[in-house]
Amino acid sequence: MTSRLFQEDRAARDEAVTGDSQSEHTLADAVQTAARNLAAWSASHAAEQELSALQLDLLARRLADAAGQMSADDISLLHPVLMPLLGTSDGNSRVGITVEQRLSLCRAFCKALPRGRNEEQPGEQPLGVKEPTVLLPEGALFGAALKRFSALLPHARILRPTGLSNICEELAESRADFALLPLEDSERGRLFHFYEQIDRFELHISCTADIPLKDRESARIALLCREPSSAPALQGTPTLECTLFDEKGALLGEVLRAADQCGLSLRRIDTAPSRQEDSGALHTLVFSTQDQDFQLFEVYLRLFIPRAVITSRYIHMERNAYEGI
């Protein structure tokens, strides 16, 4: 049976869905209207589901207009205006929209952005250039890693860092074009001190590869550079890393559910107590995908999960990514 609110609020809902109005609404007004309508149309009736879908599509177009020439990172500035969609904490009993509805809004938002807008990338440091300089620590592990990346670093000129702990600083100071650094190994797991150095000197992970060690163990080695890099036709697994501060333990489940619905696989998760808050945890998550890109998931995080920070995107090279490697 059609709800009473469906009957009584028909004019307002028609206005929200069609975009017709006697006066120009601000984006905040549009979000408030959408929140009220979506709460009223929360039943599972087909008519209300259709109206909800139309409302989300309309709101997505308003958000895309507001995004304008924003960079991908700046899309997160739209989060505060979307708060009414997340429910209320002021005694009002309105429930926020579901993860599925948020993803529907994000899909429509991506679709509504100007064509080519999402493909625009900042200036990239190309891989495969001739005779690059590479900071390479001594040892069999790094020798094997250099061979693994040889197709991307033709005729590389090797420079030895003054120490393993100094590689990131020396790369940041332009002593070389690239550097090889371990990110994790089978024995110690994620090597947080190297990640801290990458973050401190604002370096970028271009790609990674697993280098075999003894006793079936392995180490994951990263090719680092100063700017986001590209490797045309590089075959491998697209990988995204992000951190999430979860104060009350409620966000992690939502993020994992959204990632699953975006077609992503959770490769690993590391959790530690937050250093900045009295309570809560800091999660480091690594996702991979085979046949999907990360655009939808990234938009979801930026619009709805402000305490999630995307730290790296790169290709993990499989064993047969290049012949001879």
Side-chain angles (χ1 to χ4, degrees), residues 10-88:
R10 181 172 184 176
R13 289 183 287 102
D14 287 345
E15 175 183 310
V17 171
T18 63
D20 296 330
S21 176
Q22 296 295 326
S23 61
E24 182 178 358
H25 286 184
T26 67
L27 178 59
D29 292 333
V31 173
Q32 290 282 359
T33 299
R36 290 194 300 269
N37 290 341
L38 292 168
W41 305 334
S42 59
S44 59
H45 301 298
E48 297 191 355
Q49 289 182 342
E50 182 178 356
L51 285 169
S52 294
L54 290 171
Q55 175 69 87
L56 291 169
D57 184 69
L58 173 64
L59 181 57
R61 284 186 274 122
R62 294 293 300 270
L63 287 170
D65 290 341
Q69 298 302 314
M70 286 182 179
S71 67
D73 289 339
D74 286 344
I75 289 173
S76 60
L77 297 175
L78 295 173
H79 171 76
V81 78
L82 295 176
M83 290 300 292
L85 296 176
L86 307 182
T88 56

Side-chain angles (χ1 to χ4, degrees), residues 4 15 42 51 100 176 278 319:
R4 180 170 58 86
E15 175 183 310
S42 59
L51 285 169
E100 291 76 14
D278 293 335
R319 286 187 176 276

Side-chain angles (χ1 to χ4, degrees), residues 56-201:
L56 291 169
D57 184 69
L58 173 64
L59 181 57
R61 284 186 274 122
R62 294 293 300 270
L63 287 170
D65 290 341
Q69 298 302 314
M70 286 182 179
S71 67
D73 289 339
D74 286 344
I75 289 173
S76 60
L77 297 175
L78 295 173
H79 171 76
V81 78
L82 295 176
M83 290 300 292
L85 296 176
L86 307 182
T88 56
S89 57
D90 57 0
N92 192 311
S93 61
R94 187 172 73 241
V95 177
I97 63 175
T98 65
V99 170
E100 291 76 14
Q101 287 176 313
R102 297 182 196 188
L103 283 170
S104 294
L105 178 64
C106 292
R107 288 189 187 94
F109 173 80
C110 294
K111 185 177 179 180
L113 287 172
R115 192 169 185 176
R117 158 72 167 74
N118 294 294
E119 285 72 33
E120 295 177 0
Q121 298 292 338
E124 293 184 328
Q125 181 176 346
L127 295 176
V129 297
K130 292 184 179 180
E131 300 183 1
T133 52
V134 182
L135 284 167
L136 185 74
E138 295 189 42
L141 170 64
F142 295 102
L146 180 63
K147 183 178 179 181
R148 187 80 167 84
F149 289 112
S150 60
L152 299 176
L153 304 170
H155 310 292
R157 184 162 63 91
I158 303 305
L159 301 177
R160 298 299 184 188
T162 57
L164 194 59
S165 60
N166 298 326
I167 288 181
C168 291
E169 182 175 4
E170 293 180 22
L171 179 60
E173 293 175 349
S174 301
R175 187 181 167 210
D177 299 313
F178 301 97
L180 294 181
L181 193 70
L183 297 181
E184 60 185 71
D185 61 36
S186 301
E187 180 180 355
R188 293 171 291 176
R190 187 179 180 90
L191 304 177
F192 284 98
H193 53 293
F194 287 135
Y195 272 96
E196 290 172 355
Q197 292 291 308
I198 292 171
D199 180 63
R200 176 185 173 189
F201 292 103

